[in-house]
Amino acid sequence: MASAGNLLCVLAMAATAALAVASSWELCDKYKSYSVKIKDVEVLPDPVVSGQDAAFVVPASTSVPIKSGTVIVTVLWHNIPVHREVDDLCEKTKCPIAAGDFVLNSTQALPGFTPSGKYKIRMQIVQGSSLLACANIQFQIVWRRLDAAA
């Protein structure tokens, strides 16, 4: 028969696993036809761990060549904006982008004090005044386990 301590440990691990929600994404406006078609969004690791790097890999395609642009990332924690970044598109992928498939890559170093919880990123790809793509990415940040720090 399992001891009460072992049972509590198993229940705690099960509860932690149940809280870890896989990332998901959706277009900002599913009825809009964006010039850049986002195919998927991969968040690595999933869930993201506080104090470690988080990578976002976004395979996409375009029917027209793109010479330049801007990637705007707004991070929300419990629907409260906590961070905003504006980056050159060519820092996230190789430019010029020929018509066809391409991949945006973004890595963010998270401070160890980043609060755990559910987050949302609104990622927009803009060229001049034109919105080429927009996606909402839901993901979770969890605290790094103390025994994993060693």
Side-chain angles (χ1 to χ4, degrees), residues 15-82:
T16 302
L19 291 175
V21 177
S23 64
S24 64
W25 71 277
E26 62 189 8
L27 295 175
C28 296
D29 182 349
K30 63 182 177 181
Y31 300 108
K32 181 174 174 62
S33 179
Y34 295 104
S35 299
V36 171
K37 308 291 184 216
I38 295 174
K39 297 178 178 184
D40 196 12
V41 176
E42 185 176 10
V43 180
L44 300 168
D46 192 3
V48 173
V49 179
S50 180
Q52 297 182 4
D53 287 354
F56 298 87
V57 180
V58 183
S61 67
T62 179
S63 58
V64 295
I66 301 171
K67 292 182 181 178
S68 63
T70 304
V71 178
I72 302 169
V73 173
T74 305
V75 181
L76 299 111
W77 180 59
H78 298 285
N79 287 324
I80 301 168
V82 294

Side-chain angles (χ1 to χ4, degrees), residues 15 21 37 40 55 72 109 119 127 132 139 141 145:
V21 177
K37 308 291 184 216
D40 196 12
I72 302 169
Y119 285 77
Q127 185 176 46
L132 303 180
F139 67 102
I141 296 178
R145 289 183 17 196

Side-chain angles (χ1 to χ4, degrees), residues 87-124:
D87 294 311
D88 185 333
L89 174 65
C90 299
E91 292 176 6
K92 305 296 180 187
T93 192
K94 185 179 177 186
C95 287
I97 302 168
D101 294 340
F102 67 98
V103 177
L104 260 88
N105 289 294
S106 182
T107 301
Q108 183 69 41
L110 298 178
F113 57 82
T114 304
S116 63
K118 294 180 182 180
Y119 285 77
K120 179 168 86 172
I121 287 179
R122 174 163 284 208
M123 182 196 71
Q124 300 170 298

